Amino acid sequence: METDKEITGEERPRETVMGTADGQAMVGGAGAESGTGKQRLSCCVRVTAVQVRKAIWGVAMVMCVCSSWAGSTQLAKLTFRQYDAPFTLTWFATTWNCLFFPLYYVGHLCKSPERQTPKQRFRECCRFFGDDGLTAKVFFTKVAPFGLLWILTNYLYLQALRKINSTDVSALFCCNKAFVFLLSWIVLRDRFMGVRIVAAILAIAGIVMLTYADGFHSHSVIGITFVVASASASALYKVLFKLVLGSAKFGEAALFLTIVGGANFVFMSFVPVILYFTHVEYFTSVADLPWAYMCGVAGLLLAFNMLVNFGIAITYPKLISLGIVLSVPVNAMVDLYTCDIHFNTVRLIAVLIICLGFLMLLLPEDWDQCLIELGTKLRKREQPVEPAETGTSSGLNWTRRARTSMSTFPH
């Protein structure tokens, strides 16, 4: 917001100087034109510097999002080789969400000029839940359902990793973007966009082709079903969050995820215990657990969610989404190196179709208007400039050309 104010403030005096320069041009005042050129150059350099800084942060964020998401997927795969317990790993990783608000508060102390106590900051962020703050009714009606969807999404994703390779799982999970659009169109009455319908169709076609690539075996079909269900649960989480709670600020999102992590530890800890005693997710001793892999998965998922939720403060949101789709080729290279995947033509085309659909969903709502304006500018540049003729007829001809151009390419 501060950048926008600076740019707006720069534009007003620039218009005044330009008007003065035009008035003095008839007298031959070249000094005013020189001053105008310097101010234009200064403004362009300043705007360009801001954009370059934001783009550099964006590249760094893309790499961090991609590495954290791909790294957590690969570490989860390694964890299951020593300890096959998807729900226990889900519970363990979700509990790490308790660190969201403490980490946010540390950043608040470092960056904010008005330093509040943790209690003050907590109360201010609790206003997100309503005038009464976080009550028992609000918790069970607005927080607990999202906590269950969070656990379900991660559990189904980890179950899919047990059945199929990491490349297919990460590619299929990208379909959640298409599911978000479809649910937003139905539930939230968002704007209908043909290109996003095409992207959703591509996502569905990619799912069918990936199933066909493995010959419709039961093992692969179950894995694909798990990851598609995980993507659907993720889309439902996002759409319902916007419908019920609206948009959250950074502190409010941190508090919400911290509450989800705490509720998971308090109310869901009995499930791993039951799974242990029933030998569904059994381990011989605590020392035999792959703690390094489990902590790596939980830490990378925590980093990923922090980058996704807070990265839009320093860069473009589209770049953060781009980091998710770039994890697909990263997982593919790792799987190819470890010989966990066999790339045939159908699988390669299916992955490319899903990634293409994901990228199409990143297009802005006015992308068609932007293309029209870009085409108009290119045509104007390519149009040859005719030499000016003396007399009133040249002025009339110029006016007719301008009117034709404006009627042909409306803005």
XYZ file of all heavy atoms in Angstrom, residues 118-218:
811
model
N 1.707 -10.828 23.935
C 1.038 -11.982 23.315
C -0.455 -12.040 23.603
O -1.252 -12.412 22.729
C 1.772 -13.175 23.936
C 3.116 -12.641 24.302
C 2.898 -11.215 24.702
N -0.857 -11.634 24.824
C -2.267 -11.663 25.177
C -3.058 -10.640 24.372
O -4.161 -10.923 23.886
C -2.432 -11.400 26.669
C -3.836 -11.630 27.195
C -3.895 -11.470 28.712
C -5.296 -11.758 29.230
N -5.361 -11.625 30.718
N -2.487 -9.431 24.204
C -3.160 -8.398 23.420
C -3.296 -8.821 21.954
O -4.341 -8.631 21.335
C -2.391 -7.082 23.520
C -2.453 -6.419 24.899
C -1.554 -5.194 24.979
O -0.591 -5.073 24.221
N -1.876 -4.298 25.892
N -2.203 -9.385 21.432
C -2.241 -9.817 20.035
C -3.224 -10.959 19.850
O -3.936 -11.039 18.835
C -0.840 -10.256 19.592
C -0.674 -10.335 18.091
C -0.865 -8.974 17.477
N -0.929 -9.038 16.022
C -1.378 -8.073 15.262
N -1.824 -6.958 15.816
N -1.414 -8.199 13.962
N -3.289 -11.850 20.826
C -4.219 -12.971 20.762
C -5.666 -12.472 20.751
O -6.485 -12.941 19.953
C -3.975 -13.905 21.951
C -4.928 -15.054 22.033
C -4.723 -16.197 21.269
C -6.047 -14.997 22.859
C -5.615 -17.257 21.331
C -6.930 -16.059 22.931
C -6.717 -17.188 22.164
N -5.984 -11.519 21.620
C -7.345 -10.996 21.678
C -7.720 -10.264 20.386
O -8.867 -10.355 19.921
C -7.488 -10.058 22.874
C -7.514 -10.784 24.223
C -7.654 -9.793 25.360
N -7.782 -10.479 26.651
C -7.868 -9.843 27.822
N -7.854 -8.503 27.849
N -7.977 -10.536 28.939
N -6.762 -9.540 19.836
C -7.052 -8.814 18.598
C -7.315 -9.773 17.436
O -8.214 -9.553 16.627
C -5.881 -7.887 18.257
C -6.133 -7.023 17.039
C -5.036 -6.012 16.797
O -4.319 -5.675 17.764
O -4.887 -5.574 15.646
N -6.542 -10.853 17.381
C -6.744 -11.828 16.308
C -8.018 -12.634 16.523
O -8.600 -13.145 15.555
C -5.536 -12.764 16.220
S -4.012 -11.960 15.667
N -8.465 -12.756 17.771
C -9.698 -13.508 18.056
C -10.932 -12.798 17.525
O -12.002 -13.421 17.414
C -9.839 -13.739 19.557
S -8.869 -15.139 20.177
N -10.834 -11.511 17.213
C -11.968 -10.792 16.633
C -12.377 -11.370 15.291
O -13.492 -11.125 14.810
C -11.622 -9.315 16.473
C -11.370 -8.594 17.796
C -10.942 -7.162 17.535
N -10.597 -6.469 18.772
C -10.069 -5.251 18.819
N -9.845 -4.587 17.676
N -9.763 -4.690 19.974
N -11.482 -12.131 14.699
C -11.778 -12.779 13.423
C -12.974 -13.727 13.550
O -13.730 -13.925 12.589
C -10.529 -13.537 12.951
C -10.755 -14.425 11.759
C -11.078 -13.891 10.526
C -10.639 -15.799 11.867
C -11.285 -14.710 9.429
C -10.836 -16.625 10.775
C -11.154 -16.077 9.558
N -13.166 -14.316 14.738
C -14.247 -15.272 14.948
C -15.566 -14.606 15.308
O -16.584 -15.284 15.445
C -13.863 -16.251 16.058
C -12.641 -17.054 15.756
C -11.431 -16.765 16.380
C -12.678 -18.087 14.844
C -10.299 -17.502 16.105
C -11.547 -18.826 14.555
C -10.355 -18.538 15.184
N -15.589 -13.290 15.506
C -16.808 -12.572 15.849
C -16.592 -11.640 17.022
O -15.482 -11.534 17.570
N -17.641 -10.952 17.414
C -17.536 -9.984 18.509
C -17.228 -10.659 19.843
O -16.562 -10.082 20.700
C -18.836 -9.190 18.623
C -19.109 -8.362 17.380
O -18.128 -8.005 16.699
O -20.291 -8.085 17.093
N -17.708 -11.882 20.025
C -17.473 -12.586 21.283
C -16.137 -13.308 21.322
O -15.781 -13.905 22.356
C -18.601 -13.598 21.539
C -19.947 -12.920 21.687
O -19.955 -11.750 22.134
O -20.977 -13.537 21.349
N -15.402 -13.308 20.211
C -14.114 -13.982 20.176
C -14.268 -15.483 20.012
O -15.252 -15.988 19.449
N -13.299 -16.222 20.522
C -13.286 -17.677 20.406
C -14.064 -18.287 21.567
O -13.555 -18.420 22.681
C -11.845 -18.195 20.388
C -11.678 -19.706 20.206
C -12.244 -20.149 18.862
C -10.202 -20.093 20.320
N -15.289 -18.662 21.333
C -16.127 -19.314 22.337
C -16.250 -20.805 22.006
O -15.807 -21.259 20.939
C -17.520 -18.675 22.377
O -18.139 -18.824 21.086
C -17.419 -17.189 22.703
N -16.855 -21.558 22.928
C -17.040 -23.000 22.700
C -17.929 -23.247 21.483
O -17.662 -24.159 20.674
C -17.647 -23.642 23.945
N -18.960 -22.416 21.320
C -19.845 -22.575 20.175
C -19.103 -22.302 18.866
O -19.251 -23.045 17.879
C -21.038 -21.632 20.313
C -22.033 -21.724 19.173
C -23.191 -20.753 19.359
C -24.160 -20.828 18.183
N -25.286 -19.859 18.344
N -18.298 -21.243 18.846
C -17.525 -20.912 17.645
C -16.531 -22.021 17.333
O -16.326 -22.399 16.169
C -16.806 -19.560 17.836
C -15.791 -19.324 16.728
C -17.813 -18.427 17.876
N -15.924 -22.576 18.373
C -14.924 -23.634 18.156
C -15.559 -24.859 17.504
O -15.023 -25.390 16.520
C -14.279 -24.024 19.488
C -13.357 -25.201 19.383
C -12.076 -25.052 18.887
C -13.795 -26.462 19.752
C -11.228 -26.149 18.764
C -12.952 -27.561 19.640
C -11.668 -27.404 19.150
N -16.675 -25.312 18.018
C -17.276 -26.550 17.508
C -18.021 -26.349 16.198
O -18.240 -27.321 15.467
C -18.219 -27.149 18.558
C -17.506 -27.801 19.708
C -17.469 -27.185 20.951
C -16.843 -29.004 19.542
C -16.802 -27.778 22.013
C -16.175 -29.610 20.601
C -16.147 -28.993 21.836
N -18.407 -25.119 15.875
C -19.141 -24.879 14.632
C -18.268 -24.328 13.506
O -18.562 -24.573 12.330
C -20.298 -23.905 14.879
O -19.795 -22.671 15.430
C -21.310 -24.508 15.840
N -17.196 -23.585 13.856
C -16.393 -22.928 12.822
C -14.941 -23.366 12.765
O -14.272 -23.100 11.759
C -16.444 -21.405 13.031
C -17.816 -20.792 12.815
C -17.764 -19.283 12.905
C -19.126 -18.652 12.644
N -19.083 -17.174 12.697
N -14.450 -24.021 13.806
C -13.042 -24.427 13.815
C -12.911 -25.941 13.678
O -12.130 -26.429 12.845
C -12.341 -23.941 15.099
C -10.887 -24.407 15.115
C -12.404 -22.423 15.201
N -13.660 -26.680 14.476
C -13.545 -28.141 14.472
C -13.803 -28.764 13.096
O -13.051 -29.659 12.679
C -14.478 -28.736 15.520
N -14.833 -28.337 12.334
C -15.029 -28.938 11.002
C -13.834 -28.734 10.076
O -13.481 -29.646 9.324
C -16.279 -28.219 10.474
C -17.012 -27.769 11.693
C -15.947 -27.418 12.681
N -13.208 -27.563 10.135
C -12.039 -27.322 9.289
C -10.839 -28.139 9.765
O -10.007 -28.551 8.951
C -11.708 -25.829 9.272
C -12.746 -24.999 8.578
C -13.642 -24.236 9.296
C -12.838 -24.987 7.198
C -14.604 -23.478 8.660
C -13.799 -24.230 6.551
C -14.687 -23.482 7.282
N -10.757 -28.368 11.072
C -9.696 -29.235 11.567
C -9.844 -30.657 11.051
O -8.849 -31.303 10.667
N -11.074 -31.153 11.006
C -11.315 -32.495 10.464
C -10.990 -32.561 8.972
O -10.408 -33.545 8.486
C -12.766 -32.895 10.714
C -13.163 -33.116 12.184
C -14.654 -33.405 12.293
C -12.354 -34.253 12.799
N -11.362 -31.512 8.231
C -11.027 -31.477 6.802
C -9.517 -31.413 6.592
O -8.988 -32.022 5.644
C -11.704 -30.276 6.131
C -13.182 -30.428 5.784
C -13.734 -29.112 5.259
C -13.383 -31.535 4.763
N -8.820 -30.682 7.459
C -7.356 -30.593 7.378
C -6.735 -31.972 7.566
O -5.873 -32.397 6.785
C -6.854 -29.618 8.440
C -5.378 -29.416 8.464
C -4.434 -30.271 8.982
C -4.647 -28.299 7.949
N -3.181 -29.745 8.830
C -3.282 -28.538 8.201
C -5.021 -27.111 7.325
C -2.287 -27.632 7.832
C -4.035 -26.205 6.954
C -2.681 -26.472 7.205
N -7.178 -32.693 8.614
C -6.639 -34.024 8.892
C -6.991 -34.993 7.767
O -6.153 -35.802 7.325
C -7.173 -34.530 10.245
C -6.642 -33.658 11.379
C -6.790 -35.985 10.478
C -7.257 -33.954 12.732
N -8.227 -34.921 7.267
C -8.653 -35.805 6.193
C -7.838 -35.579 4.928
O -7.435 -36.551 4.257
C -10.142 -35.578 5.914
C -10.772 -36.464 4.841
C -10.742 -37.928 5.260
C -12.211 -36.024 4.547
N -7.576 -34.320 4.590
C -6.797 -34.012 3.391
C -5.403 -34.611 3.475
O -4.932 -35.286 2.531
C -6.700 -32.486 3.206
O -8.003 -31.942 3.034
C -5.853 -32.139 1.992
N -4.718 -34.401 4.594
C -3.356 -34.912 4.737
C -3.319 -36.433 4.845
O -2.410 -37.082 4.308
C -2.704 -34.275 5.974
C -2.375 -32.809 5.766
O -1.349 -32.454 5.213
N -3.271 -31.939 6.195
N -4.299 -37.010 5.533
C -4.327 -38.470 5.691
C -4.537 -39.159 4.341
O -3.838 -40.138 4.012
C -5.446 -38.859 6.660
C -5.645 -40.352 6.776
C -4.698 -41.148 7.409
C -6.784 -40.960 6.250
C -4.886 -42.524 7.513
C -6.975 -42.323 6.345
C -6.019 -43.095 6.979
O -6.196 -44.454 7.076
N -5.461 -38.673 3.541
C -5.699 -39.268 2.221
C -4.492 -39.094 1.309
O -4.167 -39.985 0.503
C -6.947 -38.652 1.591
C -8.279 -38.991 2.265
C -9.408 -38.174 1.647
C -8.575 -40.477 2.144
N -3.824 -37.953 1.417
C -2.618 -37.714 0.606
C -1.528 -38.721 0.963
O -0.875 -39.293 0.068
C -2.135 -36.283 0.831
C -0.988 -35.867 -0.066
C -1.233 -35.334 -1.330
C 0.328 -35.994 0.348
C -0.186 -34.948 -2.155
C 1.382 -35.609 -0.466
C 1.125 -35.091 -1.717
O 2.163 -34.710 -2.533
N -1.333 -38.959 2.261
C -0.314 -39.918 2.691
C -0.718 -41.346 2.341
O 0.146 -42.172 2.009
C -0.084 -39.779 4.198
C 0.538 -38.454 4.652
C 0.657 -38.407 6.169
C 1.906 -38.246 4.013
N -1.999 -41.645 2.409
C -2.457 -42.972 1.989
C -2.170 -43.201 0.510
O -1.790 -44.307 0.097
C -3.955 -43.121 2.261
C -4.315 -43.485 3.684
C -4.058 -44.951 3.994
O -3.427 -45.680 3.232
N -4.544 -45.403 5.143
N -2.339 -42.150 -0.304
C -2.051 -42.276 -1.733
C -0.575 -42.549 -1.984
O -0.216 -43.300 -2.902
C -2.499 -41.011 -2.463
N 0.289 -41.942 -1.169
C 1.730 -42.170 -1.333
C 2.118 -43.622 -1.060
O 3.140 -44.095 -1.557
C 2.518 -41.246 -0.394
C 2.617 -39.777 -0.804
C 3.324 -38.971 0.280
C 3.363 -39.635 -2.126
N 1.324 -44.330 -0.270
C 1.586 -45.735 0.005
C 1.234 -46.615 -1.188
O 1.726 -47.754 -1.282
C 0.799 -46.199 1.228
C 1.178 -45.495 2.518
C 0.266 -45.868 3.673
N 0.318 -47.286 3.988
C -0.699 -48.128 3.852
N -1.876 -47.696 3.403
N -0.577 -49.413 4.170
N 0.388 -46.123 -2.085
C -0.119 -46.943 -3.182
C 0.568 -46.650 -4.511
O 0.848 -47.576 -5.279
C -1.631 -46.723 -3.336
C -2.455 -47.028 -2.081
C -2.460 -48.500 -1.767
C -3.354 -48.805 -0.580
N -3.360 -50.249 -0.235
N 0.800 -45.366 -4.806
C 1.363 -44.989 -6.109
C 2.583 -44.103 -5.893
O 2.904 -43.703 -4.773
C 0.307 -44.274 -6.989
C -0.263 -43.051 -6.258
C -0.802 -45.240 -7.371
C -1.294 -42.284 -7.080
N 3.271 -43.770 -6.977
C 4.517 -43.011 -6.885
C 4.252 -41.529 -6.590
O 3.135 -41.031 -6.754
C 5.334 -43.171 -8.171
C 4.578 -42.726 -9.400
O 4.378 -41.542 -9.633
N 4.125 -43.694 -10.203
N 5.298 -40.844 -6.173
C 5.189 -39.439 -5.746
C 4.829 -38.514 -6.897
O 4.120 -37.517 -6.704
C 6.509 -38.986 -5.115
O 6.895 -39.845 -4.075
N 5.301 -38.827 -8.107
C 5.010 -37.967 -9.257
C 3.523 -37.922 -9.548
O 2.931 -36.844 -9.741
C 5.781 -38.461 -10.490
O 7.176 -38.533 -10.189
C 5.564 -37.535 -11.668
N 2.893 -39.091 -9.588
C 1.455 -39.137 -9.864
C 0.652 -38.465 -8.752
O -0.334 -37.767 -9.012
C 1.006 -40.590 -10.022
C 1.568 -41.242 -11.275
O 2.152 -40.507 -12.094
O 1.440 -42.461 -11.424
N 1.087 -38.656 -7.499
C 0.358 -38.055 -6.373
C 0.429 -36.533 -6.440
O -0.591 -35.839 -6.308
C 0.923 -38.572 -5.035
C 0.303 -37.814 -3.858
C 0.646 -40.058 -4.882
N 1.636 -36.002 -6.646
C 1.784 -34.540 -6.682
C 1.075 -33.939 -7.887
O 0.524 -32.834 -7.809
C 3.269 -34.162 -6.693
O 3.928 -34.757 -7.796
N 1.074 -34.660 -9.027
C 0.393 -34.146 -10.218
C -1.125 -34.162 -10.022
O -1.824 -33.194 -10.346
C 0.773 -34.969 -11.439
N -1.644 -35.263 -9.476
C -3.086 -35.357 -9.271
C -3.580 -34.371 -8.224
O -4.710 -33.877 -8.320
C -3.455 -36.789 -8.871
C -3.367 -37.840 -9.986
C -3.466 -39.239 -9.401
C -4.464 -37.614 -11.024
N -2.747 -34.077 -7.226
C -3.175 -33.136 -6.201
C -3.328 -31.724 -6.764
O -4.054 -30.903 -6.189
C -2.190 -33.131 -5.037
C -2.691 -32.407 -3.822
C -3.629 -32.992 -2.987
C -2.243 -31.128 -3.514
C -4.118 -32.326 -1.870
C -2.728 -30.455 -2.395
C -3.658 -31.059 -1.580
N -2.659 -31.439 -7.873
C -2.815 -30.132 -8.516
C -4.243 -29.923 -9.031
O -4.631 -28.786 -9.321
C -1.823 -29.987 -9.672
S -0.100 -29.821 -9.160
N -5.011 -31.002 -9.138
C -6.403 -30.871 -9.583
C -7.264 -30.133 -8.574
O -8.400 -29.745 -8.898
C -7.002 -32.253 -9.845
S -6.219 -33.156 -11.196
N -6.764 -29.957 -7.346
C -7.581 -29.263 -6.346
C -7.889 -27.831 -6.774
O -8.913 -27.269 -6.387
C -6.889 -29.275 -4.975
C -5.749 -28.281 -4.889
O -5.006 -28.091 -5.856
N -5.567 -27.680 -3.738
N -7.032 -27.245 -7.607
C -7.295 -25.900 -8.122
C -8.551 -25.894 -8.988
O -9.374 -24.972 -8.918
C -6.087 -25.419 -8.923
C -5.994 -23.928 -9.116
C -5.419 -23.252 -7.906
C -5.160 -21.781 -8.160
N -4.678 -21.082 -6.945
N -8.703 -26.935 -9.813
C -9.901 -27.036 -10.645
C -11.138 -27.288 -9.797
O -12.220 -26.734 -10.057
C -9.725 -28.155 -11.675
N -11.002 -28.104 -8.755
C -12.140 -28.373 -7.875
C -12.549 -27.113 -7.106
O -13.742 -26.898 -6.852
C -11.794 -29.494 -6.901
C -11.471 -30.807 -7.567
C -10.672 -31.754 -6.951
C -11.964 -31.091 -8.828
C -10.380 -32.956 -7.564
C -11.675 -32.293 -9.462
C -10.882 -33.225 -8.829
N -11.577 -26.294 -6.737
C -11.877 -25.031 -6.063
C -12.707 -24.128 -6.977
O -13.684 -23.512 -6.540
C -10.584 -24.317 -5.620
C -10.871 -22.880 -5.203
C -9.924 -25.060 -4.476
N -12.331 -24.065 -8.243
C -13.092 -23.233 -9.187
C -14.519 -23.737 -9.335
O -15.490 -22.949 -9.303
C -12.405 -23.217 -10.553
C -13.290 -22.747 -11.667
C -13.697 -21.428 -11.728
C -13.745 -23.634 -12.627
C -14.541 -20.987 -12.748
C -14.578 -23.212 -13.641
C -14.974 -21.886 -13.701
N -14.694 -25.059 -9.487
C -16.036 -25.606 -9.671
C -16.909 -25.370 -8.439
O -18.074 -24.975 -8.548
C -15.942 -27.097 -9.982
C -15.296 -27.468 -11.332
C -15.160 -28.975 -11.455
C -16.094 -26.903 -12.497
N -16.340 -25.602 -7.247
C -17.104 -25.378 -6.018
C -17.397 -23.894 -5.805
O -18.483 -23.528 -5.333
C -16.339 -25.944 -4.826
C -16.328 -27.472 -4.682
C -15.423 -27.892 -3.528
C -17.730 -28.005 -4.468
N -16.429 -23.027 -6.129
C -16.664 -21.580 -5.988
C -17.746 -21.101 -6.939
O -18.539 -20.217 -6.606
C -15.358 -20.822 -6.248
O -14.358 -21.190 -5.333
N -17.784 -21.680 -8.124
C -18.800 -21.316 -9.099
C -20.185 -21.747 -8.620
O -21.181 -21.032 -8.794
C -18.457 -21.960 -10.444
C -19.439 -21.679 -11.534
C -20.053 -20.485 -11.799
C -19.935 -22.611 -12.493
N -20.884 -20.622 -12.886
C -20.832 -21.911 -13.333
C -19.683 -23.951 -12.745
C -21.486 -22.525 -14.393
C -20.333 -24.562 -13.804
C -21.226 -23.853 -14.610
N -20.260 -22.923 -7.974
C -21.556 -23.448 -7.526
C -21.977 -22.827 -6.197
O -23.122 -22.376 -6.040
C -21.486 -24.984 -7.407
C -21.222 -25.617 -8.777
C -22.772 -25.532 -6.804
C -20.916 -27.091 -8.727
N -21.054 -22.789 -5.222
C -21.404 -22.379 -3.861
C -21.310 -20.864 -3.689
O -22.225 -20.230 -3.164
C -20.505 -23.100 -2.839
C -20.830 -22.645 -1.420
C -20.657 -24.610 -2.962
N -20.182 -20.288 -4.131
C -19.950 -18.866 -3.909
C -20.465 -17.981 -5.040
O -20.358 -16.756 -4.953
C -18.445 -18.618 -3.717
C -17.777 -19.378 -2.564
C -16.292 -19.053 -2.513
C -18.438 -19.040 -1.242
N -20.979 -18.593 -6.108
C -21.493 -17.840 -7.261
C -20.418 -16.963 -7.883
O -20.679 -15.814 -8.272
C -22.695 -16.973 -6.859
C -23.823 -17.724 -6.181
C -24.455 -18.726 -7.115
N -25.584 -19.418 -6.486
C -26.268 -20.393 -7.082
N -25.912 -20.808 -8.284
N -27.269 -20.984 -6.458
N -19.209 -17.501 -7.977
C -18.138 -16.750 -8.613
C -18.398 -16.621 -10.110
O -19.229 -17.335 -10.685
C -16.790 -17.430 -8.367
C -16.242 -17.135 -6.977
O -16.914 -16.388 -6.234
O -15.160 -17.639 -6.632
N -17.609 -15.729 -10.728
C -17.789 -15.457 -12.158
C -17.470 -16.694 -12.995
O -16.493 -17.395 -12.750
C -16.874 -14.294 -12.568
C -16.919 -13.961 -14.047
C -15.871 -12.921 -14.394
N -15.758 -12.738 -15.830
C -14.821 -12.003 -16.427
N -13.929 -11.372 -15.688
N -14.783 -11.878 -17.729
N -18.314 -16.965 -13.976
C -18.086 -18.080 -14.896
C -16.999 -17.698 -15.891
O -17.040 -16.627 -16.487
C -19.379 -18.431 -15.635
C -19.206 -19.492 -16.682
C -19.236 -20.832 -16.337
C -19.011 -19.151 -18.010
C -19.072 -21.811 -17.297
C -18.850 -20.127 -18.982
C -18.883 -21.463 -18.624
N -16.025 -18.591 -16.064
C -14.945 -18.354 -17.013
C -14.751 -19.612 -17.855
O -14.512 -20.708 -17.311
C -13.647 -17.996 -16.285
C -13.658 -16.631 -15.628
S -12.081 -16.229 -14.866
C -11.014 -16.234 -16.307
N -14.853 -19.455 -19.164
C -14.721 -20.596 -20.059
C -13.371 -21.270 -19.976
O -13.258 -22.496 -20.035
N -12.301 -20.460 -19.827
C -10.954 -21.038 -19.788
C -10.773 -21.921 -18.556
O -10.064 -22.935 -18.599
C -9.889 -19.911 -19.827
C -9.948 -19.056 -18.561
C -8.491 -20.481 -20.012
N -11.435 -21.586 -17.457
C -11.317 -22.406 -16.256
C -12.147 -23.678 -16.361
O -11.789 -24.700 -15.777
C -11.710 -21.583 -15.029
C -10.728 -20.451 -14.768
C -11.019 -19.691 -13.500
N -10.011 -18.657 -13.283
C -10.042 -17.799 -12.283
N -11.020 -17.836 -11.394
N -9.077 -16.893 -12.151
N -13.242 -23.630 -17.110
C -13.985 -24.854 -17.381
C -13.113 -25.802 -18.203
O -13.074 -27.019 -17.969
C -15.304 -24.535 -18.113
C -16.294 -23.866 -17.158
C -15.912 -25.795 -18.705
C -16.801 -24.769 -16.064
N -12.415 -25.254 -19.199
C -11.499 -26.063 -19.998
C -10.407 -26.664 -19.111
O -10.038 -27.838 -19.263
C -10.886 -25.213 -21.129
C -9.815 -26.000 -21.879
C -11.966 -24.744 -22.088
N -9.889 -25.867 -18.170
C -8.854 -26.367 -17.252
C -9.396 -27.505 -16.385
O -8.699 -28.492 -16.136
C -8.347 -25.224 -16.376
N -10.634 -27.379 -15.926
C -11.241 -28.448 -15.126
C -11.418 -29.719 -15.952
O -11.175 -30.838 -15.461
C -12.581 -27.982 -14.573
N -11.797 -29.572 -17.220
C -11.937 -30.732 -18.104
C -10.582 -31.390 -18.324
O -10.456 -32.631 -18.329
C -12.572 -30.308 -19.439
C -14.013 -29.830 -19.207
C -12.540 -31.444 -20.450
C -14.667 -29.235 -20.436
N -9.531 -30.576 -18.492
C -8.183 -31.134 -18.646
C -7.763 -31.894 -17.401
O -7.115 -32.950 -17.500
C -7.192 -30.000 -18.945
C -7.284 -29.344 -20.321
C -6.280 -28.196 -20.423
C -7.014 -30.370 -21.414
N -8.104 -31.379 -16.233
C -7.749 -32.068 -14.993
C -8.433 -33.431 -14.913
O -7.799 -34.439 -14.556
C -8.139 -31.207 -13.791
N -9.706 -33.480 -15.263
C -10.431 -34.752 -15.234
C -9.862 -35.715 -16.274
O -9.707 -36.923 -16.014
C -11.925 -34.500 -15.472
C -12.503 -33.662 -14.322
C -12.691 -35.812 -15.598
C -13.920 -33.193 -14.555
N -9.532 -35.197 -17.460
C -8.932 -36.047 -18.493
C -7.586 -36.602 -18.041
O -7.254 -37.770 -18.300
C -8.764 -35.245 -19.788
N -6.798 -35.773 -17.333
C -5.517 -36.243 -16.820
C -5.685 -37.346 -15.788
O -4.893 -38.302 -15.744
N -6.715 -37.230 -14.948
C -6.977 -38.284 -13.946
C -7.286 -39.609 -14.639
O -6.748 -40.668 -14.272
C -8.146 -37.856 -13.034
C -7.739 -36.650 -12.185
C -8.574 -39.008 -12.135
C -8.889 -36.036 -11.413
N -8.133 -39.567 -15.662
C -8.494 -40.789 -16.386
C -7.274 -41.379 -17.093
O -7.058 -42.609 -17.071
C -9.627 -40.491 -17.386
C -9.948 -41.725 -18.218
C -10.866 -40.007 -16.651
N -6.447 -40.535 -17.686
C -5.275 -41.027 -18.419
C -4.249 -41.633 -17.468
O -3.601 -42.630 -17.800
C -4.659 -39.889 -19.227
C -5.509 -39.423 -20.390
S -4.695 -38.146 -21.377
C -3.350 -39.079 -22.117
N -4.088 -41.056 -16.288
C -3.157 -41.648 -15.326
C -3.653 -43.008 -14.847
O -2.862 -43.928 -14.616
C -2.971 -40.712 -14.129
C -1.872 -39.663 -14.242
C -1.804 -38.814 -12.974
C -0.518 -40.314 -14.497
N -4.954 -43.133 -14.705
C -5.507 -44.438 -14.334
C -5.280 -45.453 -15.451
O -4.929 -46.612 -15.201
C -7.016 -44.308 -14.040
O -7.224 -43.235 -13.111
C -7.572 -45.586 -13.459
N -5.444 -45.010 -16.690
C -5.227 -45.892 -17.839
C -3.758 -46.254 -17.998
O -3.428 -47.356 -18.478
C -5.739 -45.205 -19.103
C -5.450 -45.960 -20.375
C -6.203 -47.073 -20.727
C -4.413 -45.551 -21.215
C -5.933 -47.770 -21.889
C -4.137 -46.251 -22.385
C -4.895 -47.364 -22.717
O -4.621 -48.055 -23.869
N -2.861 -45.356 -17.599
C -1.421 -45.606 -17.773
C -0.956 -46.830 -16.990
O -0.027 -47.521 -17.399
C -0.622 -44.375 -17.340
N -1.598 -47.125 -15.868
C -1.242 -48.291 -15.066
C -2.125 -49.496 -15.352
O -2.055 -50.505 -14.644
C -1.321 -47.954 -13.573
C -0.213 -46.994 -13.149
O 0.875 -47.055 -13.750
O -0.439 -46.185 -12.230
N -2.960 -49.382 -16.372
C -3.767 -50.517 -16.762
C -4.955 -50.792 -15.866
O -5.439 -51.932 -15.824
N -5.428 -49.808 -15.138
C -6.609 -49.954 -14.274
C -6.437 -51.066 -13.235
O -7.379 -51.776 -12.896
C -7.877 -50.209 -15.102
C -8.309 -49.033 -15.919
C -7.962 -48.935 -17.259
C -9.052 -48.008 -15.359
C -8.355 -47.845 -18.021
C -9.445 -46.914 -16.120
C -9.096 -46.833 -17.444
N -5.203 -51.230 -12.730
C -4.983 -52.187 -11.656
C -5.601 -51.653 -10.371
O -5.658 -50.447 -10.139
C -3.489 -52.443 -11.462
C -2.834 -53.063 -12.664
N -3.247 -54.269 -13.190
C -1.806 -52.636 -13.441
C -2.490 -54.568 -14.249
N -1.608 -53.588 -14.423
N -6.024 -52.562 -9.501
C -6.718 -52.162 -8.274
C -5.828 -51.316 -7.371
O -6.287 -50.366 -6.737
C -7.192 -53.412 -7.526
O -6.097 -54.236 -7.186
